[in-house]
Amino acid sequence: MRLIFLLLLLFSTAPLSASEVQVVGEVLFVSQHAWAERAEGAIPLKPGDAIRLGDILETAPNAQLHLKMIDHGFLALRPGTRLHIRDYRPPVADDDSAGIKLELLQGALRSITGHIGEAQKERFRLNTPLAAIGIRGTDFSVNVLPDSVQASVFKGMISMSPFVSTCLRETLGPCLGEQAVLAAASLDTYIELRAGADRPSIIHTLPLDLQPTPEEEHSRRLLLSTDAPANGQAPGLPFTLAVQVPSSPSSATTFETPRPQGILPSASPSIITLGEHKLSLDRDLDGLDALQEQSLGTNPFQQDTDADGLPDAHDPRPTLSDRYRLGSTSYLLPPAQLSLFRLDNIQIERIPWGSPSLD
């Protein structure tokens, strides 16, 4: 009898076989080091690896991890992030618990809703240490700080609420009630819940640290491409970083990059006549007039505010320089060129314009 009991105990506690493990996504891209915490230990991740239900994913302080989920959703973990995949299952008639439940333990995350979230918005929940976040078909970023949670919406809408009697950690979907706040897509605001606050606030400031990164846009294009290879490298584009870096800012002006919303190119400087005086609003001839420069926070007397090789009107992040370090060599690489390369051995340093460390 004792032998039978021991055998039953052994089989009941045996790890799941590969066929029994529920796969909820796969790795699209890894920069530096990222791993999944599982019963068998910390498993290093590489492009093509499966992501399992229950995984706690973590990125090193200088790393990023991008995931393609089973419903074609997209998750991007930024440096120093821990994310628990608590659930990621299509809802079924006989299971009220199924849906998407994520817990951002620390760090920053970008999420683009897939088929499950689009069809069952009331079954999606992202919990953070301070706040619950629900969606309405959304592309958004969240950043967990020691005393607050911040989120920026790029498409759709999210709700944010502190954990109260009407908003429990255990439930799914967006929280309702007086303490929940809705935030729609915006270029110049973000939503924030501070520790101890009754409800989140809308902050009217450009959320630079929450903006989509060039690496995320690179992975998102791979996700949308039907012939994207599993190793995270664009087809037919070798990793030849050194020869692709422009030798001067002017040589980068021919690259097509996304234009910030609301910015229109101007073929010539705008002129306003004030009596006998003419005032050129586009003093630096970068395609933005003074009012546009002011709204973006860029330098009206310098074509390339962040000195990353792209004039402000053609730079999706005109006030934040992206410096890419490969070994001991440092490059300033525009986002359009970044999409040509594998990024698993490039360290990224973002420097705001005006910083003393920016050459």
Side-chain angles (χ1 to χ4, degrees), residues 135-156:
I135 62 164
R136 294 192 177 181
T138 312
D139 178 357
F140 69 102
S141 289
V142 180
N143 189 23
V144 172
L145 299 172
D147 60 351
S148 67
V149 174
Q150 301 172 341
S152 181
V153 186
F154 316 122
K155 181 181 179 182

Side-chain angles (χ1 to χ4, degrees), residues 285-313:
L285 305 181
D286 63 357
L288 301 176
D289 63 32
L291 294 177
Q292 292 170 329
E293 299 259 21
Q294 182 179 14
S295 66
L296 286 174
T298 54
N299 187 343
F301 300 100
Q302 183 177 333
Q303 282 192 357
D304 182 8
T305 295
D306 56 9
D308 65 356
L310 286 177
D312 291 341

Side-chain angles (χ1 to χ4, degrees), residues 113-172:
T113 307
H115 302 321
I116 297 176
E118 288 284 354
Q120 301 282 343
K121 299 177 180 63
E122 71 281 3
R123 311 296 300 171
F124 178 100
R125 168 69 70 82
L126 171 63
N127 284 340
T128 70
L130 293 176
I133 294 175
I135 62 164
R136 294 192 177 181
T138 312
D139 178 357
F140 69 102
S141 289
V142 180
N143 189 23
V144 172
L145 299 172
D147 60 351
S148 67
V149 174
Q150 301 172 341
S152 181
V153 186
F154 316 122
K155 181 181 179 182
M157 183 178 292
I158 65 170
S159 73
M160 180 185 287
S161 170
F163 294 107
V164 291
S165 60
T166 56
C167 184
L168 303 178
R169 287 184 180 273
E170 296 75 22
T171 56
L172 285 173

Side-chain angles (χ1 to χ4, degrees), residues 224-240:
L224 296 174
S225 174
T226 56
D227 59 350
N231 65 0
Q233 183 174 358
L237 296 172
F239 182 37
T240 52

Side-chain angles (χ1 to χ4, degrees), residues 297 299 302 304-307 318-321 351-359:
N299 187 343
Q302 183 177 333
D304 182 8
T305 295
D306 56 9
T319 62
L320 204 59
S321 174
I351 306 171
W353 80 274
S355 169
S357 59
L358 182 63
D359 350 275

Side-chain angles (χ1 to χ4, degrees), residues 6 9 54-55 83 90 104 163 169 175 190-191 196 202 222 236 240 251 259 268 274 302 304 338 342:
L6 290 174
L9 182 63
D55 278 352
L83 176 72
L104 183 58
F163 294 107
R169 287 184 180 273
C175 292
Y190 64 90
I191 187 170
I202 301 294
L222 289 181
T240 52
S251 65
R259 186 182 309 281
S268 60
L274 299 175
Q302 183 177 333
D304 182 8
L338 175 66
R342 289 179 54 222

